[in-house]
Amino acid sequence: MQNWVTIENVVASVSFNQPIDLYQLSSSVGVWSYDPKRFPAVIIKFARPRVTALVFSSGKVVLVGAKGEEEVKLAYRRLVFAMTKAHVVQKGQPKLVIHNVVASISFSQRIRLEELGKKFEKTVYEPEQFPGLIMRDEDVVFVVFSSGKVICAGARSEKHVLEAAQRLYGMLVSSGGFERILLGYDGRMPHRSCCRHGLSSVGLSSSSA
């Protein structure tokens, strides 16, 4: 069985620790969007990587859309360069913080959602209202679908995503959550795991736990 872990979005913030003149910033580069009547931030859309920056007058910036940690770091460097070039901030190294890494996990087996709902307390499953089961595990949230697709939110790094995916796999096997149980299960996901976008191909062996 192959398990795919794909980073879908990385949400991060940048703190310049100084007020920013948004009118000056928006006028320095014409393609940047600023309409204070509709939204109180300058919107910067980078093409490579495809990341959007929301710049607020307080000096706070929100970065969304990155497909991995390397992409958000590249967007951070481009943001600092652009802001410095526009003469709206002083030279320096503002703080970059990753707040949420959203990933999708695709198992090649269908999942018994009712079994999960019965065996784990921190779950919500109301199929009449929503087709997925919501499960809280430590500081991440999984949205599990019977097709074998899973959304993971709340992780703070790619490593955190991999560790959470491994815990979920173990819970699914030990609880009988899969419709087919793998032979030779040792408590970890099979080594032929593949992680796309920001993550390189990684086998979840004991060294990554």
Side-chain angles (χ1 to χ4, degrees), residues 27-204:
S27 62
S28 63
V29 180
V31 297
W32 293 358
S33 174
Y34 181 48
D35 185 352
K37 293 182 179 180
R38 299 182 62 183
F39 189 68
V42 171
I43 301 174
I44 305 173
K45 293 186 177 181
F46 297 109
R48 296 181 181 178
R50 294 176 65 87
V51 174
T52 298
L54 308 176
V55 184
F56 295 89
S57 60
S58 63
K60 297 287 186 180
V61 180
V62 177
L63 298 174
V64 297
K67 299 296 185 180
E69 292 178 16
E70 290 304 316
E71 282 198 5
V72 81
K73 290 175 182 177
L74 176 58
Y76 162 79
R77 292 192 293 269
R78 293 195 60 188
L79 172 71
V80 173
F81 176 80
M83 300 281 281
T84 304
K85 187 177 180 179
H87 303 291
V88 295
V89 297
Q90 299 177 355
K91 291 184 178 181
Q93 292 296 322
K95 186 177 181 180
L96 172 67
V97 178
I98 294 177
H99 297 281
N100 188 13
V101 179
V102 180
S104 61
I105 306 167
S106 180
F107 296 110
S108 61
Q109 300 183 77
R110 293 186 63 81
I111 297 173
R112 298 187 181 99
L113 299 184
E114 291 187 4
E115 291 295 323
L116 288 182
K118 292 176 182 178
K119 295 186 178 181
F120 294 98
E121 293 182 357
K122 297 182 179 180
T123 60
V124 176
Y125 182 48
E126 298 178 355
E128 297 82 6
Q129 300 183 22
F130 183 69
L133 177 142
I134 301 172
M135 172 187 290
R136 295 185 179 275
D137 176 56
E138 296 187 3
D139 47 2
V140 301
V141 176
F142 297 111
V143 182
V144 186
F145 297 92
S146 60
S147 64
K149 302 290 186 180
V150 180
I151 301 299
C152 175
R156 295 299 182 93
S157 67
E158 294 175 0
K159 180 181 178 182
H160 193 182
V161 169
L162 290 173
E163 292 172 344
Q166 182 171 284
R167 289 197 307 272
L168 175 62
Y169 181 80
M171 288 187 289
L172 287 170
V173 173
S174 64
S175 66
F178 285 124
E179 289 190 358
R180 292 183 291 113
I181 300 298
L182 294 178
L183 297 177
Y185 170 66
D186 63 357
R188 301 183 184 278
M189 284 198 284
H191 287 202
R192 293 198 310 161
S193 298
C194 184
C195 306
R196 298 181 292 178
H197 292 321
L199 298 172
S200 58
S201 295
V202 178
L204 290 181

